[in-house]
Amino acid sequence: MPEERLTYRQVAALLVLRELGTAVAHKELKEEWGLELDAKNRAGLIDAKLIESESRANRALWYTITPAGEDRAIEEVRMGIPVSSRSGKALALLYLRSLVTPRVAIPVVEEPVQVPVTAMSPEEVESRIREAYAKITPGAGRWAAMTNLRALLTDIDRDLQDDVLRAMLLAGSVDIEPVAISSDLKPEDHAAAIIIGSKPNHQFRVGA
């Protein structure tokens, strides 16, 4: 049986706790981040061992994320989360920061390993995506093929492209969907698709 997806509020709370890296009061989540972690959402995270909860002075609730919660937060974002909350852009920013600032230091190895590195920041990649969209579409709001986008971003690591696109989707600044008639797709179209959840998506459009 597939694992049940988390709600938007649950993922949002996990992202905030992951970024702050310390115990956070229920009141702070609500007042500073606009997140009301109600009893049902809170119980779901605790039962799944994604967060731990404790009562402190004046019976105030404090939350701490677990290692499983940190992993689950990023997994949920990678699968795509519909966002309607005013906090959506702030949460997308937290996710992008988590990509460029590792939470755990990588131990130094004796043998140096050559790893391809993309020199661009997520913000720069988003700017390139917007520039590419303007080049391949006749006007704002039109759907564009992922194949055409990939062709203009060959100097950017594919995983970084996908991470930024998912963060833009989370922030509500891009729409990403599969095509209506998949039989018309060519092999290069399938190769260019971005996977959200388990679904390949072949077209996108940039909004705000």
Side-chain angles (χ1 to χ4, degrees):
M1 182 177 179
E3 193 171 40
E4 185 176 349
R5 294 292 303 273
L6 300 181
T7 66
Y8 167 75
R9 289 187 184 183
Q10 289 174 324
V11 178
L14 289 178
L15 281 172
V16 172
L17 291 171
R18 182 182 188 277
E19 174 64 20
L20 298 180
T22 186
V24 178
H26 179 90
K27 183 178 180 181
E28 182 182 348
L29 275 182
K30 182 177 180 180
E31 295 181 355
E32 299 292 329
W33 297 92
L35 296 172
E36 179 62 63
L37 195 59
D38 57 35
K40 182 177 180 181
N41 281 301
R42 179 171 63 247
L45 292 174
I46 294 172
D47 291 345
K49 302 187 185 308
L50 301 179
I51 67 168
E52 295 175 348
S53 174
E54 63 175 320
S55 295
R56 295 188 180 179
N58 300 321
R59 302 179 67 181
L61 284 175
W62 288 72
Y63 308 121
T64 306
I65 194 169
T66 65
E70 294 193 7
D71 293 340
R72 184 66 181 276
I74 300 304
E75 177 186 342
E76 288 283 334
V77 171
R78 288 182 184 278
M79 289 191 289
I81 306 168
V83 171
S84 58
S85 165
R86 60 185 174 82
S87 301
K89 290 187 177 180
L91 294 170
L93 210 23
L94 288 177
Y95 173 57
L96 285 175
R97 285 175 59 184
S98 75
L99 294 176
V100 296
T101 309
R103 294 290 309 280
V104 180
I106 301 173
V108 178
V109 294
E110 294 182 4
E111 293 290 334
V113 178
Q114 297 298 322
V115 179
V117 176
T118 300
M120 293 184 183
S121 68
E123 291 80 6
E124 290 173 322
V125 175
E126 178 174 343
S127 178
R128 284 285 303 280
I129 289 172
R130 290 178 179 276
E131 290 174 6
Y133 177 74
K135 290 179 181 179
I136 60 181
T137 54
R142 301 290 187 90
W143 288 103
M146 290 298 302
T147 311
N148 295 334
L149 176 66
R150 303 295 193 191
L152 294 177
L153 303 180
T154 54
D155 58 320
I156 301 175
D157 179 77
R158 173 68 176 263
D159 288 339
L160 180 54
Q161 293 180 37
D162 287 358
D163 285 334
V164 172
L165 283 166
R166 291 186 183 103
M168 291 175 69
L169 179 65
L170 176 64
S173 58
V174 69
D175 296 316
I176 300 174
E177 291 186 3
V179 295
I181 305 176
S182 59
S183 59
D184 292 340
L185 295 173
K186 299 176 181 178
E188 55 266 32
D189 297 320
H190 290 292
I194 177 173
I195 305 299
I196 298 178
S198 58
K199 182 186 298 183
N201 296 268
H202 309 89
Q203 59 182 347
F204 77 106
R205 63 183 178 188
V206 175

